[in-house]
């Protein structure tokens, strides 16, 4: 029997079946996250039901945006990208609907689990995984196991304060924080201010040979390094795995390595900076492992 897997993101819900070795019947459905948590839950149920009509499965694994209590399957916290998602007892709802064991985990944690078993973290006991997209997400592996913290929310690297001069928690809890400067959202925001046509990461890197665009990307990779300096010195990982579609650009990883190593103590320079190996399958594979 197969495992049904979902990866619920702010833009799309990826789904598929895992047979113990490979993913198959992979599909992508718009999340329509702006319609709220209840809509996302119903959309997930509809997707699972459509698979059940043609493919038997005996368990369900779910990777999802938001902070997750993996024991109860509840969404501890989700920002306004999915309004009303906080507090959703997702695991319980899905298990009761389909009458099979159901596991739920945060999307970056699930991706790190996938990388640890099948990808760039295989054989590694001490590593961190970061994804750069709408925000910055993180996960920590210590002693070969996911480290979740006392309330399952460890790895919120996007909340590292890198620009205290911009800190204003009255207007924004994430003001001055890493993800405001190092996310792809931040890169695109800066690019649009320079040229309104540069409204996506893809368009930016299509014009990377232009001096102004290259300088923009250079400033952005420096912002990424600011956070990595703290993370490497704090956690002393053997490997840092970087995910998100933007990391597929070869020049990004090259710049990060060039900038990071001179900025960390010699005793930490053994750390390897690696691109995530599983791409957009990582969350689904991690959910399958769970």
């Amino acid at each position: 029997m197969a495992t049904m897997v979902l990866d619920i993101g702010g833009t799309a819900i990826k789904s598929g079946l895992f047979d113990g070795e490979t993913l198959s019947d992979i599909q992508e459905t718009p999340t329509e996250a702006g319609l709220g948590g209840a809509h996302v839950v119903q959309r997930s149920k509809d997707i699972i039901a459509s698979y059940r009509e043609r493919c038997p499965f005996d368990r369900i694994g779910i990777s999802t945006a938001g902070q997750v209590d993996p024991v109860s399957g509840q969404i501890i916290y989700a920002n306004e990208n999915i309004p009303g998602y906080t507090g959703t007892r997702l695991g319980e709802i899905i298990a009761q609907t389909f009458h099979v064991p159901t596991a739920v985990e945060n999307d970056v944690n699930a991706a790190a689990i996938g990388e640890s078993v099948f990808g760039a973290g295989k054989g590694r006991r001490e590593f961190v995984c970061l994804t750069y997209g709408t925000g910055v997400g993180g996960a920590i592996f210590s002693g070969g196991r996911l480290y979740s913290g006392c309330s399952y929310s460890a790895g919120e690297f996007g909340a590292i304060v890198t620009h205290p001069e911009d800190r204003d928690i009255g207007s924004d809890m994430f003001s001055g924080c890493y993800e405001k400067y190092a996310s792809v959202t931040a890169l695109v925001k800066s690019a649009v201010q320079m040229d309104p046509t540069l409204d996506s990461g893809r368009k930016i890197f299509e014009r990377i040979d232009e001096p102004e665009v290259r300088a923009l990307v250079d400033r952005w990779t420096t912002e990424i390094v600011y956070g990595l300096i703290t993370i490497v010195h704090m956690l002393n990982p053997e490997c840092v795995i970087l995910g998100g579609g933007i990391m597929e650009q070869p020049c990004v990883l090259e710049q990060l390595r060039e900038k990071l190593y001179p900025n960390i103590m010699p005793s930490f320079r053994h750390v390897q900076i690696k691109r995530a190996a599983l791409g957009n399958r990582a969350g689904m594979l991690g959910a399958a492992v769970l």
Side-chain angles (χ1 to χ4, degrees):
M1 292 287 278
T3 299
M4 172 81 222
V5 291
L6 292 183
D7 185 4
I8 302 172
T11 302
I13 301 174
K14 294 182 282 292
S15 55
L17 294 166
F18 183 71
D19 64 4
E21 295 183 1
T22 59
L23 285 168
S24 64
D25 201 357
I26 298 171
Q27 299 180 22
E28 195 165 302
T29 307
T31 310
E32 299 179 344
L35 297 177
H39 176 80
V40 172
V41 172
Q42 185 58 52
R43 205 144 179 81
S44 301
K45 288 164 67 175
D46 291 343
I47 292 168
I48 296 169
S50 72
Y51 275 80
R52 173 161 274 185
E53 289 177 359
R54 62 184 189 279
C55 308
F57 54 82
D58 59 359
R59 56 183 65 88
I60 298 169
I62 300 175
S63 159
T64 180
Q67 296 173 5
V68 175
D69 177 346
V71 177
S72 67
Q74 183 174 5
I75 309 300
I76 300 171
Y77 173 77
N79 63 26
E80 286 309 301
N81 289 337
I82 309 180
Y85 201 37
T86 299
T88 300
R89 303 188 71 85
L90 183 60
E92 181 180 303
I93 292 168
I94 298 300
Q96 289 181 354
T97 302
F98 296 98
H99 308 290
V100 296
T102 301
V104 183
E105 182 56 275
N106 162 267
D107 50 2
V108 185
N109 285 347
I113 292 167
E115 292 287 347
S116 76
V117 177
F118 302 105
K122 190 172 183 179
R124 307 280 183 173
R125 294 181 60 78
E126 307 288 336
F127 70 87
V128 294
C129 184
L130 291 98
T131 58
Y132 297 83
T134 304
V136 176
I140 303 166
F141 256 70
S142 181
R145 299 174 63 87
L146 179 71
Y147 175 74
S148 299
C150 69
S151 60
Y152 311 109
S153 302
E156 280 285 357
F157 298 136
I160 295 171
V161 177
T162 56
H163 288 269
E165 70 278 8
D166 295 335
R167 191 79 171 139
D168 180 9
I169 60 172
S171 61
D172 184 355
M173 180 57 70
F174 277 79
S175 59
C177 289
Y178 188 41
E179 75 171 34
K180 291 291 186 181
Y181 308 89
S183 63
V184 177
T185 300
L187 172 63
V188 172
K189 182 179 178 180
S190 296
V192 167
Q193 290 173 351
M194 184 179 75
D195 181 343
T197 66
L198 295 173
D199 57 2
S200 71
R202 178 182 56 79
K203 291 180 181 178
I204 291 167
F205 282 93
E206 284 175 352
R207 292 171 53 184
I208 192 65
D209 291 332
E210 297 177 21
E212 287 188 342
V213 175
R214 182 170 291 276
L216 178 81
V217 172
D218 181 68
R219 290 193 295 272
W220 172 70
T221 56
T222 298
E223 294 290 350
I224 293 177
V225 168
Y226 287 158
L228 293 180
I229 293 167
T230 297
I231 292 164
V232 168
H233 284 134
M234 181 180 294
L235 297 173
N236 191 26
E238 57 184 307
C239 181
V240 175
I241 299 170
L242 304 178
I246 202 80
M247 292 299 161
E248 297 298 319
Q249 299 291 335
C251 67
V252 173
L253 217 62
E254 291 169 10
Q255 281 197 29
L256 293 177
R257 287 172 176 148
E258 288 173 4
K259 293 177 180 181
L260 178 64
Y261 290 116
N263 278 286
I264 55 178
M265 287 185 276
S267 53
F268 287 79
R269 290 178 190 165
H270 58 79
V271 65
Q272 294 185 337
I273 309 301
K274 301 179 69 172
R275 183 182 294 113
L278 302 178
N280 63 10
R281 298 174 296 141
M284 287 190 288
L285 286 167
V289 171
L290 289 167

